[in-house]
């Protein structure tokens, strides 16, 4: 029973590592090297994946049974080998299981919800920005455009210019102040 669980866990880990390893990821990409924190995380992940792959390869087969007959012929104290054999045959260690704590589960669920909220906000910003870019491309300033056309298309700029004129800020936006 324990060996079956160990095999299943080993297969699962092996499967995950193989799926990730077979993706076409260019680990030498500048994307992974630009941020030192990201580079460290990528390096750590690659090390973990290599270690998991090595362990999966090492433990993919069940261990060979212990040859107590050979040990009895090699060891002078037969009672020691008999005691170890009895311990080996009678020992049934409980399977190791990991319970995901409710606090950690709730924390991860909250992080996922927060990320979804940020994603929705980002998508909304992208849509607004795309609309703004389309508007700006459509209403690009050119030599044929009059000041009244510009005021009609860009009322916020026209209002700012009028305010500057009223406050007599003639050279507000010039480089040499």
């Amino acid at each position: 029973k324990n060996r079956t669980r160990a095999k299943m866990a080993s297969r699962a880990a092996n499967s995950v590592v193989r799926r990730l390893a077979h993706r076409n990821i260019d680990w030498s990409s500048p994307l992974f090297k630009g941020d030192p924190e990201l580079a460290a995380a990528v390096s750590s992940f690659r090390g973990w994946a290599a270690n998991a792959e090595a362990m999966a390869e090492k433990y993919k087969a069940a261990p060979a049974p212990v040859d107590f007959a050979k040990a009895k012929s090699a060891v002078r104290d037969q009672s020691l080998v008999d005691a170890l054999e009895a311990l080996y045959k009678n020992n049934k260690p409980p399977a190791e299981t990991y319970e995901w704590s409710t606090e950690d589960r709730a924390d991860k669920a909250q992080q996922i919800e927060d990320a979804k909220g940020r994603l929705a906000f980002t998508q909304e910003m992208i849509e607004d920005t795309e609309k703004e870019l389309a508007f700006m491309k459509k209403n690009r300033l050119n030599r044929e455009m009059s000041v009244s056309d510009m005021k009609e298309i860009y009322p916020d700029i026209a209002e700012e210019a009028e305010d500057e004129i009223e406050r007599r800020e003639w050279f507000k936006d010039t480089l040499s102040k």
Side-chain angles (χ1 to χ4, degrees), residues 33-143:
K33 295 179 181 178
D35 180 21
E37 189 176 329
L38 178 64
V42 166
S43 177
S44 174
F45 174 75
R46 290 180 67 197
W48 174 85
N51 187 32
E53 180 72 29
M55 288 179 69
E57 189 64 33
K58 181 179 178 180
Y59 297 114
K60 71 180 178 183
V66 179
D67 186 8
F68 288 103
K70 183 178 177 185
K72 284 181 184 178
S73 66
V75 176
R76 280 185 271 165
D77 190 0
Q78 301 291 317
S79 63
L80 177 64
V81 176
D82 290 336
L84 288 172
E85 185 175 12
L87 176 68
Y88 179 78
K89 289 182 179 177
N90 295 329
N91 189 13
K92 305 290 184 218
E96 283 190 38
T97 58
Y98 176 73
E99 292 293 325
W100 193 10
S101 70
T102 55
E103 299 90 29
D104 191 32
R105 189 177 303 172
D107 181 48
K108 298 301 180 202
Q110 184 61 42
Q111 287 179 8
I112 289 169
E113 290 304 315
D114 292 347
K116 286 179 182 177
R118 287 191 305 269
L119 178 64
F121 176 70
T122 303
Q123 291 295 339
E124 193 176 301
M125 283 181 46
I126 289 171
E127 290 172 7
D128 291 346
T129 304
E130 286 174 347
K131 288 177 187 174
E132 183 69 24
L133 282 172
F135 175 79
M136 292 173 85
K137 284 179 182 178
K138 180 181 165 200
N139 297 305
R140 194 170 268 164
L141 295 177
N142 56 38
R143 293 185 184 272

